[in-house]
């Protein structure tokens, strides 16, 4: 007669028990990940400033290292980099904000008129959509914006402003210490690990910083080129509000996939009203051409293999970030996903042969 121990172990080692064990492991990992995500969303006032500080520190770290190699004191190099980087960022935001502040009402008015033009085309054109259907869709959107949830969220604006100021100061303090003692802090956190694991974790950290800094610097370069190219095109076509529209393109480039589409749609709407349908089509073609140039030539050259993610992974990360943290989540989701994937690959690449993850190379796409 079989013992209870043998019977129980047999249940988990037979043909059905092995996949059941794996499923239980997967469910346990998913539950752990869900708890972590829930905790991070509840601590957004702490997490978001720290994440932004990490991204900025990764982008500015090469400047600090350069100054230290040339004989600057660590504290002086940190302060010079911090003040210089924040001054440059503040100058860019001030220029963009000034253009939006001066032309915001005009830009909104022109975009609204462009939407009216599209509405007339939809109702009077070949799409055969009745005005009643459009009015129903508009009323649904209006009800969503004026619902009790939206109004109660608007009433929390003062609290959100206080939290934003607190997060700003927290982020600045964290950024300063990351620039000054980032490697020392990371090494201290790895102290409990054994020596081989600690060395691998150090290499993973260095690779993550390279990917994060390269992503931010590369995105800024790509955004600048996109804004200049589209701005010159709008200027040649004779579209008004060139500077605000170019600034919109620059900001939209930091949101992968959808940012460029929304900025191009806004430029096309303004052109439709001010210069007519033909000019609007030219602007659409210009935006598509610049985006194709960016995706096929500029981004691979500038960013290299920093963002080695499939577009579907980018889309899923973007969607998840937006759901969890709104606009800030949309800005942070893709670099976090890129760093996570790079860290996983680095950990696997530096692992002993017996510990490496089992990976397969996907077949190449058909030409």
């Amino acid at each position: 007669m079989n013992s209870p121990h043998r019977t129980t172990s047999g249940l988990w080692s037979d043909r059905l028990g092995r996949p059941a064990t794996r499923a239980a492991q997967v469910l346990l990992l998913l539950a752990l990940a869900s708890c972590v995500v829930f905790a991070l969303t509840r601590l957004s006032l702490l997490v978001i400033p720290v994440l932004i500080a990490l991204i900025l520190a990764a982008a500015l770290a090469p400047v600090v290292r350069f100054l230290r190699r040339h004989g600057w004191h660590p504290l002086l190099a940190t302060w010079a980099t911090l003040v210089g980087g924040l001054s440059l960022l503040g100058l860019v935001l001030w220029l963009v904000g000034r253009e939006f502040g001066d032309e915001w009402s005009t830009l909104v008015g022109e975009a609204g008129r462009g939407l009216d033009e599209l509405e007339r085309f939809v109702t009077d054109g070949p799409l055969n959509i009745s005005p009643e259907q459009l009015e129903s869709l508009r009323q649904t959107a209006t009800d969503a914006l004026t619902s009790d949830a939206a109004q109660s969220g608007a009433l929390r604006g003062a609290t959100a402003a206080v939290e934003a100021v607190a997060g700003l100061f927290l982020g600045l303090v964290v950024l300063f210490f990351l620039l000054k003692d980032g490697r020392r802090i990371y090494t201290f956190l790895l102290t409990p690990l054994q020596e081989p694991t600690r060395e691998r974790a150090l290499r993973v950290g260095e690779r993550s910083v390279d990917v994060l800094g390269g992503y931010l610097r590369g995105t800024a370069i790509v955004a600048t080129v996109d804004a200049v190219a589209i701005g010159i095109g709008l200027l040649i076509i004779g579209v008004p509000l060139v500077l605000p529209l170019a600034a919109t393109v620059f900001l939209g480039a930091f949101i992968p996939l959808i940012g460029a589409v929304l900025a191009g749609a806004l430029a096309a709407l303004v052109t439709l009203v001010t210069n007519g349908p033909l000019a609007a089509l030219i602007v659409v073609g210009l935006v598509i051409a610049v985006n194709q140039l960016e995706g096929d030539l500029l981004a691979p050259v500038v960013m290299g293999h920093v963002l080695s993610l499939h577009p579907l992974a980018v889309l899923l990360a973007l969607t998840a970030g937006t759901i969890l943290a709104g606009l800030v989540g949309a800005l942070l989701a893709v670099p976090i996903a890129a760093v996570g994937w790079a860290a996983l690959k680095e950990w696997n690449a530096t692992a002993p042969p017996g510990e490496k993850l089992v990976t397969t190379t996907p077949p190449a796409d058909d030409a």
Side-chain angles (χ1 to χ4, degrees):
M1 185 174 182
N2 293 331
S3 64
H5 175 73
R6 180 178 298 274
T7 303
T8 304
S9 61
L11 290 175
W12 294 102
S13 60
D14 59 9
R15 186 174 300 178
L16 183 61
R18 285 190 293 271
T21 303
R22 186 65 65 189
Q25 294 172 340
V26 171
L27 290 176
L28 182 62
L29 291 176
L30 289 177
L32 179 61
S34 300
C35 293
V36 171
V37 170
F38 176 77
L40 292 178
T41 55
R42 301 298 295 179
L43 298 174
S44 58
L45 181 59
L46 172 65
V47 173
I48 291 177
V50 171
L51 289 177
I52 295 176
L54 281 171
I55 295 175
L56 294 177
L60 297 175
V63 180
V64 177
R65 291 197 296 265
F66 175 81
L67 294 178
R68 288 186 177 184
R69 284 197 304 266
H70 286 76
W72 287 53
H73 189 275
L75 186 61
L76 182 59
T78 301
W79 274 114
T81 303
L82 182 63
V83 173
L86 293 179
S87 299
L88 180 60
L89 179 62
L91 178 62
V92 172
L93 293 178
W94 176 75
L95 291 175
V96 172
R98 187 186 67 173
E99 295 300 329
F100 273 107
D102 294 341
E103 305 290 348
W104 176 253
S105 59
T106 306
L107 185 63
V108 173
E110 297 294 344
R113 290 173 56 194
L115 289 175
D116 292 337
E117 291 286 343
L118 286 179
E119 181 178 340
R120 282 193 291 271
F121 172 78
V122 168
T123 55
D124 300 336
L127 298 180
N128 195 26
I129 297 178
S130 65
E132 290 78 12
Q133 291 173 315
L134 283 178
E135 183 61 30
S136 176
L137 292 175
R138 179 179 295 178
Q139 186 62 40
T140 301
T142 303
D143 293 340
L145 292 176
T146 58
S147 62
D148 293 338
Q151 291 178 359
S152 62
L155 293 177
R156 293 194 298 267
T159 303
V162 173
E163 292 180 352
V165 174
L168 176 62
F169 282 104
L170 175 62
L172 289 176
V173 173
V174 174
L175 177 59
F176 172 80
F177 284 108
L178 288 177
L179 289 175
K180 181 178 179 293
D181 301 316
R183 184 175 179 85
R184 186 185 305 173
I185 294 172
Y186 185 62
T187 305
F188 172 77
L189 294 176
L190 300 181
T191 303
L193 301 179
Q194 297 296 325
E195 185 62 30
T197 306
R198 187 187 307 126
E199 292 297 326
R200 289 171 61 193
L202 282 173
R203 288 192 291 269
V204 168
E206 293 173 356
R207 176 58 181 163
S208 300
V209 171
D210 291 340
V211 169
L212 201 56
Y215 174 82
L216 184 60
R217 292 189 296 269
T219 303
I221 294 173
V222 171
T224 302
V225 174
D226 287 353
V228 171
I230 294 178
I232 292 175
L234 295 176
L235 189 63
I236 294 174
I237 296 173
V239 180
L241 307 173
V242 172
L243 289 179
L245 291 174
T248 305
V249 173
F250 176 82
L251 296 176
F254 286 88
I255 305 179
L257 299 180
I258 64 172
V261 174
L262 295 177
L266 179 61
L269 284 174
V270 174
T271 307
L272 177 64
V273 174
T274 58
N275 297 72
L278 180 59
L281 289 177
I282 295 176
V283 170
V284 172
L286 173 65
V287 172
I288 293 175
V290 170
N291 288 334
Q292 286 297 115
L293 180 66
E294 170 198 328
D296 297 335
L297 178 62
L298 185 59
V301 170
V302 172
M303 303 182 69
H305 298 288
V306 169
L307 189 62
S308 55
L309 295 176
H310 192 276
L312 179 59
V314 174
L315 178 61
L316 294 177
L318 189 65
T319 304
T322 305
I323 292 173
L324 292 175
L327 180 59
V328 177
L331 293 172
L332 299 179
V334 176
I336 290 174
V339 169
W341 180 242
L344 179 62
K345 291 195 298 182
E346 184 68 22
W347 182 267
N348 186 39
T350 56
E355 296 182 13
K356 285 191 175 183
L357 300 175
V358 179
T359 58
T360 57
T361 303
D365 296 334
D366 295 335

